[in-house]
């Protein structure tokens, strides 16, 4: 039967080829032997009209054109020998702005439509800062573009044949700024514009009017993307008065909340290390403070952020699940300005201004916590009241420093220097001093990032914009612990001094260079291409131990390094993508990224196709589809739901292959009255070569190699996401809902059976609203609901080598029993939900200064969302014989209602 079917298919194909061949012959006959027409000419310095006359005689064709078409052309020479008619015409008109169409014996000549380009930069009028993603739209031709990361735009328009120019009505808009229109009665040549937009008054930053910007989500090809402004981040209710870019993203569909209070991202079934975080295009590896309670992004230094979770452009690569591209503020090139903020746990200082007016500017933002300042006197009081000789000192602090210098050589040429440094430090000292016995324990942890970059941008022409940059990024974590014991007094017989010290260090350092180009040859094509190179230096694990004891001989004293691993890896990539407007209805973004990763003598190659298609059904309604393949060559090894300094970044190796994901998305987008954006997206994502710790292994140092601790498996995620967003008027915000599934499968985990991902949250609903009650008062609210996370619990216990339970006998969780785990992630925590409220009060001062009070309430109705569940005992009943207890699971929630207040002074 199968052979018959194969023969049948071959027969169909054979018949189809015969029909195709016969139709070609019939068409050739219908064209009266066109392929046999040849032309031989050798004419010098003659009018183009004479050449056409001679070609017409030899080929038996008639040329039809307007009399004015050939008048502007000078005499020319033309030579062909025994050339086919089409080849002759192609060669003849190659140097002329003429197109031809041949129908039988008639050749119609027309003037080529002429392309003209309007290009330039869109900047802030008061500071000359570039505006990223500003809309530049021609109302007459219904054509528009968005500015790139440096404010550059290039809009190509077509002048119809026979026309001496076209009227242009250009509308430029950007959220938080007043729209501006330009009218050009007759555009006849390429034009360069320097467009400046006036910001809305400071007290009206979020109040914007409807513009063509609101239709961009319908008209572009991008799926699974969201642009978030500085004003939106600041207006969202905060925890401890800290505006947080990560918490804002957690309020969007497809992004799991993770663990209560933790600023982690788990996007469409992915892990936290599958997100690419960029600051001015440079990777950042540690993006949280205090174990994840606050992100490392200082909102006062941020200009804007683009978030991608599907349909990834080819210019991004290296992670599976999402891209968070953060742009920092450029300095004001005209005036000095700044701001100072005071919150419950931290302070913020931002300064900007010109170094050389209209040419060079600076911007510095510093954030530092004062938890150490608050806890030091509290610990001193507690220790003073103790009478047992035991004292405890704890000190924690973090800081973020963003600095940037921009210099403008000319309107086309600019350079910048950018620096980011963020660190956490935790110190704890416990001292027990009692009657000749002294025990001192010191713990110290320090971790953080350093990112430095330099870049040069240049507008080579009105159609080509380029960037060259180099960068250095480093992540380090260090943990040290020492314990010193002294008993007796020195010189006495029973005197003893013992010292134990351990130190662990891990880190990753990158050196890299990047090139990126934007090229728009014609109106229908926007081409981006470039290349990256990164050199990675990994320090997976460094362990040093020192053990001294006065009671032991010198041969038993220890002071050596047990582990000192480090390795180099090299990563390179090249990409190209074309945003092609095929027709008014269809638009295609097709790209390809090719990557190489060399480590331990092995080179991995990755070919990553990216395709997005948009079908515009009407002016305000479109359908989209996309496919993306992503490769990931580095991953975070962690066995905790918190971001801790014990986490290590590791590369793929000769044994562990790169992580790969394939994602397909389909969606519909609708804009209602330029006020509301509706979207629905469905997706399916397959992930291969995922890594998890095998059962029974962790980050605890051991003789087992870290590669042997890892299990390799696969994952999948699929679901639907709905969103309604309003970005204009006094009331803004969004409503988002996700219906999602995510699971994992590892041969060495859960007996090879599939199990739900830790953050397999089936339902997630977010409602975010911001309303300007007046020019001086702004209200905000955010409510989130999510199905509970999964965790692994021991639902049964057993006693090794013990007798079987007798009928009616119950087992105990007490001493001697061991936990039995039947499945991974076998228990789902209760649903998570929380309401946050906030208010911003603007107090205008003299000379344009501004005071802003922020009052926020986190978890308004004090829902104690559990972050973990453990085994414990609860009181069962009390009788004459005493109180009895029974075994039970207990949940832990750590965040009650938390009010906060902060004050910002802008000058």
């Amino acid at each position: 039967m199968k052979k018959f079917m194969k023969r049948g298919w071959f027969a169909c194909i054979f018949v189809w080829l015969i029909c195709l061949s016969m139709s070609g012959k019939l068409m050739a006959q219908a064209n009266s032997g066109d392929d046999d027409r040849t032309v031989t000419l050798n004419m010098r310095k003659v009018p183009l009209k004479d050449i056409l006359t001679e070609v017409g005689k030899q080929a038996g064709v008639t040329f039809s054109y307007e009399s004015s078409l050939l008048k502007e052309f000078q005499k020319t020479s033309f030579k062909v020998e025994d050339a086919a008619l089409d080849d002759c015409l192609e060669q003849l008109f190659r140097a002329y702005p003429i197109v031809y169409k041949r129908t039988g014996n008639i050749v119609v000549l027309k003037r080529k439509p002429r392309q003209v380009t309007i290009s330039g930069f869109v900047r802030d009028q008061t500071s000359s800062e570039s505006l990223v993603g500003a809309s530049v739209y021609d109302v007459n031709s219904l054509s528009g573009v968005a500015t790139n990361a440096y404010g550059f735009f290039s809009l190509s328009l077509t002048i119809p044949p026979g026309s001496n120019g076209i009227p242009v009505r250009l509308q430029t808009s950007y959220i938080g700024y007043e729209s501006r229109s330009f009218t050009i009665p007759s555009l006849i040549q390429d034009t360069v514009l320097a467009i400046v937009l006036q910001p809305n008054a400071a007290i009206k930053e979020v109040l914007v009017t409807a513009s063509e910007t609101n239709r961009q989500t319908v008209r572009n090809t991008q799926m699974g993307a969201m642009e978030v402004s500085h004003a939106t981040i600041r207006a969202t209710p905060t925890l401890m008065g800290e505006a947080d870019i990560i918490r804002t993203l957690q309020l969007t569909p497809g992004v799991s909340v993770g663990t209560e209070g933790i600023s982690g991202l788990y996007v469409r079934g992915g892990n936290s290390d599958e997100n690419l975080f960029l600051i001015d295009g440079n990777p950042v590896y540690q993006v949280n403070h205090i174990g994840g309670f606050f992100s490392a992004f200082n909102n006062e230094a941020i200009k804007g952020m683009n978030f991608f979770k599907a349909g990834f452009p080819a210019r991004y690569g290296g992670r599976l699940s999402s891209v968070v591209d953060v742009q920092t503020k450029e300095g004001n090139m005209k005036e000095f300005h700044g701001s100072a903020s005071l919150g419950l746990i931290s302070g913020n200082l931002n300064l900007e201004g010109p170094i050389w007016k209209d040419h060079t500017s600076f911007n510095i933002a510093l954030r530092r916590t004062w938890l150490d300042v608050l806890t030091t006197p509290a610990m001193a009081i507690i220790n003073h009241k103790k009478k047992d000789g035991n004292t405890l000192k704890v000190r924690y602090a973090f800081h973020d420093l963003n600095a940037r210098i921009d210099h403008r050589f000319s309107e086309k040429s600019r350079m910048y220097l950018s620096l980011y440094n963020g660190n956490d430090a935790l110190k704890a000292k416990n001292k027990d001093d009692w009657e000749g016995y002294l025990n001192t324990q010191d713990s110290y942890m320090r971790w953080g990032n350093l990112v430095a970059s330099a870049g040069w941008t240049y507008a080579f022409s009105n159609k080509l914009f380029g960037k060259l940059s180099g960068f250095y990024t480093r992540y380090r974590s260090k943990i040290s612990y020492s314990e010193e014991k002294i008993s007796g007094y020195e010189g006495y017989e029973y005197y003893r001094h013992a010292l134990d010290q351990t130190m662990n260090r891990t880190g990753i350092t990158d050196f890299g260079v990047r090139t990126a180009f934007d090229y728009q040859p014609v109106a229908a094509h926007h081409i981006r291409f470039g290349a990256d190179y990164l050199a990675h230096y990994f320090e997976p694990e460094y362990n040093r131990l020192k053990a001294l004891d006065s009671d032991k001989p010198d041969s038993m004293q220890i002071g050596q390094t047990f582990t000192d691993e480090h390795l180099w890896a090299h990563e390179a990539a090249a990409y190209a993508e074309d945003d092609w407007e095929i027709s008014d209805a269809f638009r295609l973004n097709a790209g390809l990224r090719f990557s190489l990763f060399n480590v331990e003598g092995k080179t991995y190659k990755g070919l990553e196709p990216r395709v997005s298609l948009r079908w515009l059904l009407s002016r305000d309604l479109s359908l989209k589809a996309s496919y993306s393949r992503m490769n990931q060559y580095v991953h975070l090894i962690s066995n905790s739901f918190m971001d801790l300094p014990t986490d290590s970044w590791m590369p793929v190796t000769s044994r562990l292959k790169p992580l790969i994901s394939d994602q397909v998305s389909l969606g519909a987008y609708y804009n209602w009255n330029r006020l509301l954006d509706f979207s629905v997206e469905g997706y399916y994502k397959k992930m291969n070569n995922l890594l998890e710790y095998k059962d029974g292994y962790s980050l605890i140092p051991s003789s087992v190699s870290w590669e042997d601790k890892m299990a390799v498996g696969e994952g999948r995620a699929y679901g639907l996401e709905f969103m309604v967003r309003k970005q204009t008027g006094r009331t803004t915000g969004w409503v988002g809902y996700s219906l999602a599934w995510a699971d994992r499968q590892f041969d060495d985990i859960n007996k090879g059976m599939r199990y739900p991902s830790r953050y397999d949250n089936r339902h997630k609903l977010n409602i975010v609203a911001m309303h300007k009650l007046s020019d001086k008062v702004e209200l905000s609210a955010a409510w989130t609901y999510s199905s509970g996370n999964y965790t692994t619990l021991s639902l049964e216990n057993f006693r090794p080598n013990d007798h079987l339970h007798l009928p009616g006998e119950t087992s105990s969780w007490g001493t001697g029993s061991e936990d039995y785990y039947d499945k991974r992630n076998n228990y789902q925590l209760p649903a998570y939900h929380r309401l946050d409220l906030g208010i911003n009060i603007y107090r205008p001062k003299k000379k344009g200064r501004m005071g802003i009070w922020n009052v926020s309430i986190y978890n308004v109705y004090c829902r104690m969302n559990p972050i973990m569940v453990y085994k414990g005992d609860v009181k069962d009943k009390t009788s004459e014989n005493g109180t009895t207890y029974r075994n039970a699971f207990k949940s832990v929630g750590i965040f009650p209602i938390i009010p906060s207040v902060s004050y910002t002074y802008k000058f």
Side-chain angles (χ1 to χ4, degrees):
M1 182 67 181
K2 292 182 178 179
K3 291 183 179 179
F4 176 77
M5 291 180 67
K6 290 182 179 179
R7 290 175 181 174
W9 278 110
F10 282 126
C12 291
I13 294 173
F14 181 70
V15 172
W16 179 77
L17 291 174
I18 292 176
C19 294
L20 186 66
S21 175
M22 293 179 62
S23 64
K25 292 181 180 179
L26 292 173
M27 288 292 293
Q29 293 176 4
N31 287 328
S32 304
D34 285 348
D35 294 336
D36 297 331
R37 304 183 188 188
T38 60
V39 178
T40 300
L41 288 177
N42 187 4
M43 304 178 72
R44 299 180 59 81
K45 299 296 182 181
V46 296
L48 179 58
K49 183 177 180 180
D50 294 349
I51 298 176
L52 295 178
T53 300
E54 186 61 30
V55 171
K57 289 180 181 179
Q58 294 189 27
V61 295
T62 301
F63 290 93
S64 174
Y65 53 87
E66 294 182 1
S67 58
S68 61
L69 180 63
L70 307 181
K71 289 183 178 180
E72 63 182 85
F73 303 127
Q74 298 179 354
K75 294 181 179 180
T76 186
S77 301
F78 185 66
K79 179 181 178 180
V80 291
E81 184 175 350
D82 200 26
L85 176 59
D86 284 335
D87 294 339
C88 174
L89 295 178
E90 184 71 27
Q91 183 177 341
L92 176 61
F93 295 129
R94 189 174 298 161
Y96 293 96
I98 295 176
V99 292
Y100 74 91
K101 183 178 181 181
R102 185 163 64 91
T103 305
N105 294 328
I106 304 297
V107 180
V108 179
L109 305 183
K110 292 183 179 181
R111 185 181 298 275
K112 278 184 180 178
R114 189 158 60 92
Q115 293 277 342
V116 290
T117 301
I118 303 176
S119 62
F121 294 84
V122 180
R123 296 195 173 99
D124 185 304
Q125 182 174 340
T126 59
S127 66
S128 290
E129 186 176 10
S130 302
L131 299 182
V132 181
S135 172
V136 181
Y137 181 78
D138 177 36
V139 178
N140 293 336
S141 64
L142 303 180
S143 300
V145 294
T147 58
N148 66 10
Y150 302 93
F152 178 78
F153 71 92
S154 177
L155 176 62
S156 295
L157 303 173
T158 301
I159 298 180
S163 174
N164 293 325
I166 55 171
V168 174
R169 188 154 62 95
L170 211 62
Q171 185 183 71
T172 307
S173 57
Y174 188 69
I175 292 179
Y177 288 74
E178 297 177 0
S179 299
R180 188 173 180 184
S181 298
F182 299 85
T183 299
I184 304 175
S186 181
L187 181 67
I188 59 175
Q189 61 184 8
D190 292 347
T191 302
V192 178
L193 296 177
I195 302 175
V196 293
L197 298 183
Q198 176 67 40
N200 290 328
I203 56 178
K204 300 179 182 179
E205 281 183 321
V206 184
L207 179 57
V208 292
T209 56
S211 66
E212 205 58 39
T213 305
N214 301 91
R215 287 200 177 103
Q216 290 302 314
T217 54
V218 173
R219 294 185 172 180
N220 62 31
T221 59
Q222 187 60 56
M223 299 186 67
M226 185 176 185
E227 183 178 347
V228 182
S229 66
H230 167 82
T232 301
I233 299 170
R234 195 187 65 207
T236 306
T238 61
L239 173 61
M240 298 290 188
E242 291 290 324
D244 196 322
I245 190 172
I246 304 298
R247 294 191 187 283
T248 302
L249 291 177
Q250 288 179 343
L251 297 173
T252 61
V255 181
S256 293
V257 175
T259 302
E260 168 81 6
I262 304 299
S263 294
L265 286 185
Y266 301 86
V267 182
R268 288 188 172 180
N271 295 326
S272 62
D273 65 338
E274 296 172 8
N275 309 298
L276 177 63
F277 292 95
L278 301 172
I279 292 183
D280 292 328
N282 306 310
V284 180
Y285 289 97
Q286 176 68 19
V287 296
N288 293 309
H289 293 300
I290 321 182
F293 292 118
F294 299 105
S295 78
F297 298 105
N298 182 358
N299 191 51
E300 292 303 313
I302 294 174
K303 176 165 59 175
M305 179 271 298
N306 290 303
F307 176 61
F308 302 89
K309 59 187 175 182
F312 300 100
R315 58 189 180 273
Y316 296 112
R319 299 294 187 274
L320 299 189
S321 295
S322 78
V323 176
V324 181
D325 192 357
V326 178
Q327 302 92 32
T328 60
K329 292 180 181 178
E330 302 168 14
N332 193 314
M333 287 195 174
K334 296 183 180 296
E335 300 174 329
F336 289 96
H337 290 282
S339 65
S341 300
L342 299 176
L344 289 182
I345 65 168
S346 69
N348 224 313
L349 179 64
N350 178 228
L351 299 173
E352 63 173 331
I355 299 175
W356 177 12
K357 191 172 182 179
D358 293 328
H359 289 85
T360 309
S361 67
F362 74 92
N363 190 301
I364 298 176
L366 175 64
R367 177 175 64 167
R368 190 191 186 281
T369 182
W370 42 58
L371 279 175
D372 52 339
V373 178
L374 297 176
T375 56
T376 298
M379 296 300 301
I381 295 172
I382 294 173
N383 291 327
H384 180 72
K385 291 184 177 181
K386 289 186 176 181
K387 305 299 182 182
D388 57 0
N390 182 275
T391 60
L392 175 64
K393 296 180 180 179
V394 179
R395 179 180 179 272
Y396 173 80
F398 72 80
H399 78 266
D400 293 301
L401 172 65
N402 294 83
R404 177 167 173 149
I405 295 177
D406 287 84
H407 177 72
R408 184 187 301 170
F409 297 103
S410 66
E411 192 65 28
K412 293 183 176 182
S413 177
R414 301 185 70 161
M415 71 161 291
Y416 68 88
L417 301 173
S418 177
L419 174 71
Y420 167 73
N421 176 247
N423 276 289
D424 293 64
L426 173 63
K427 295 182 180 179
K429 184 174 184 178
N430 184 42
K431 186 177 181 181
D432 190 2
D433 188 355
W434 185 257
E435 295 183 353
Y437 174 80
L438 177 64
N439 185 358
T440 305
Q441 297 173 328
D442 282 290
S443 300
Y444 175 74
M445 292 191 291
R446 184 180 182 88
W447 65 100
N449 293 288
L450 174 64
V451 181
S453 64
W456 174 63
T457 64
Y458 189 77
F460 294 93
S461 69
N462 55 8
K463 297 182 179 181
L464 179 63
F465 181 89
K467 173 192 173 184
L468 173 66
S469 64
F471 67 90
Y472 167 85
T473 178
R474 185 194 72 191
Y475 167 70
R476 288 283 188 278
S477 75
K478 177 182 178 182
I479 304 174
S480 62
Y481 174 80
S482 68
E483 182 174 5
E484 185 178 23
K485 296 180 179 179
I486 300 176
S487 58
Y489 299 96
E490 190 171 1
Y492 284 78
E493 179 181 359
Y494 297 105
Y495 172 76
R496 182 186 180 189
H497 178 208
L499 175 65
D500 294 320
Q501 291 181 337
T502 60
M503 197 269 280
N504 176 271
R505 187 177 68 232
T506 183
I508 177 175
T509 302
D510 288 350
F511 306 86
V513 62
R514 283 194 169 93
T515 59
F517 296 91
D518 284 15
Y519 179 52
Q520 191 160 3
V522 294
H525 292 272
H526 186 179
I527 300 171
R528 296 181 178 92
F529 59 96
D532 308 337
Y533 168 76
L534 288 85
H536 302 281
Y537 179 68
F538 293 91
E539 296 177 89
E541 193 172 17
Y542 175 90
N543 291 309
R544 182 172 178 81
L545 173 64
K546 183 178 182 180
L548 304 175
D549 195 327
S550 60
D551 275 0
K552 296 180 180 180
D554 293 343
S555 60
M556 299 185 66
Q557 310 299 319
I558 300 174
Q560 67 180 40
T561 300
F562 284 92
T563 308
D564 187 7
E565 298 180 357
H566 54 84
L567 70 153
W568 284 90
H570 301 272
E571 183 176 359
Y575 70 89
E577 62 178 273
D578 183 13
D579 196 14
W580 177 23
E581 191 159 4
I582 303 172
S583 66
D584 291 340
F586 290 97
R587 187 170 180 174
L588 174 71
N589 186 296
L592 186 65
R593 183 180 182 89
F594 177 69
S595 59
L596 296 170
F597 193 86
N598 177 269
V599 62
E600 296 181 334
K602 184 175 181 61
T603 300
Y604 290 100
K605 305 178 183 67
L607 201 60
E608 306 172 32
R610 319 281 177 81
V611 181
S612 297
L613 178 66
R614 181 222 66 195
W615 181 14
L616 193 64
L617 300 178
S618 69
R619 183 181 177 89
D620 298 308
L621 176 64
S622 66
L623 301 179
K624 299 181 186 181
S626 71
Y627 165 76
S628 299
R629 163 163 282 205
M630 305 289 281
N631 285 352
Q632 182 169 332
Y633 300 103
V634 297
H635 43 264
L636 187 66
I637 305 301
S638 173
N639 66 344
S640 171
F641 57 83
M642 298 179 67
D643 290 298
L644 298 175
T646 53
D647 299 345
S648 300
W649 284 95
M650 304 290 193
V652 297
T653 65
S654 55
R655 294 170 53 189
L656 302 176
K657 297 179 180 180
L659 285 64
I660 300 175
S661 74
D662 293 280
Q663 183 175 182
V664 178
S665 300
L666 296 172
Y669 305 81
Y670 176 69
N671 178 267
W672 179 75
N673 202 29
R674 293 196 294 180
L675 290 176
L676 295 177
D677 284 312
F678 295 84
S679 67
V680 54
E681 289 186 15
Y683 66 92
Y684 180 87
K685 181 166 71 172
K686 181 70 179 295
M687 297 163 282
N688 294 314
N689 303 329
L690 298 181
L691 299 178
E692 289 277 1
Y693 271 107
K694 296 178 182 177
D695 293 330
Y697 288 97
S698 69
L699 279 172
I700 299 175
S702 68
S703 59
V704 180
S705 166
W706 71 271
E707 291 177 284
D708 293 326
K709 299 176 185 178
M710 308 309 298
V712 180
E714 64 179 38
R716 62 183 181 182
Y718 50 95
L720 286 172
E721 297 172 1
F722 304 86
M723 189 170 184
V724 181
R725 189 180 186 188
K726 186 175 186 291
Q727 301 185 68
T728 61
R730 288 192 172 272
T731 302
T732 58
W734 63 85
V735 176
Y737 170 74
S738 302
L739 176 64
W741 290 261
D743 60 28
R744 301 285 189 268
Q745 184 176 28
F746 292 80
D747 292 339
D748 298 323
I749 298 176
N750 203 48
K751 302 176 183 178
M753 297 183 294
R754 285 193 178 275
Y755 61 90
S757 170
R758 177 179 177 86
Y759 302 108
D760 177 24
N761 307 127
R762 187 75 65 248
H763 304 281
K764 181 173 181 281
L765 175 64
N766 292 105
I767 302 175
V768 180
M770 290 158 279
H771 178 70
K772 290 201 69 65
L773 197 63
S774 68
D775 290 343
K776 296 183 180 180
V777 180
E778 180 182 41
L779 305 177
S780 61
W783 185 75
T784 184
Y785 171 90
S786 175
S787 301
N789 299 331
Y790 281 86
T791 188
T792 303
L793 289 181
S794 167
L795 303 179
E796 298 180 69
N797 280 60
F798 66 96
R799 295 181 183 274
N801 303 320
D802 198 1
H803 65 276
L804 296 175
H805 294 302
L806 298 176
E809 185 180 28
T810 60
S811 62
S812 172
W813 291 354
T815 305
S817 68
E818 295 188 9
D819 292 327
Y820 173 73
Y821 299 90
D822 60 338
K823 294 180 181 180
R824 174 74 70 96
N825 290 346
N826 57 356
Y827 178 80
Q828 187 176 21
L829 296 174
Y832 176 96
H833 53 89
R834 187 188 81 239
L835 173 66
D836 304 331
L837 298 176
I839 180 172
N840 287 329
I841 302 173
Y842 299 89
R843 303 295 300 272
K845 309 292 183 181
K846 295 180 180 179
K847 298 181 180 180
R849 298 171 183 176
M850 176 72 66
I852 305 174
W853 285 97
N854 172 267
V855 179
S856 294
I857 303 177
Y858 181 89
N859 197 5
V860 172
Y861 50 81
C862 200
R863 159 77 174 181
M864 296 300 290
N865 292 293
I867 64 170
M868 62 177 295
V869 174
Y870 69 97
K871 286 182 175 181
D873 295 320
V874 296
K875 185 182 294 186
D876 189 15
K877 59 182 179 179
T878 302
S879 63
E880 296 179 356
N881 298 325
T883 303
T884 59
Y885 295 85
R886 59 182 175 85
N887 302 141
F889 289 105
K890 292 184 176 181
S891 63
V892 177
I894 61 175
F895 285 94
I897 180 173
I898 303 177
S900 62
V901 61
S902 66
Y903 180 74
T904 301
Y905 182 71
K906 294 191 172 185
F907 52 91

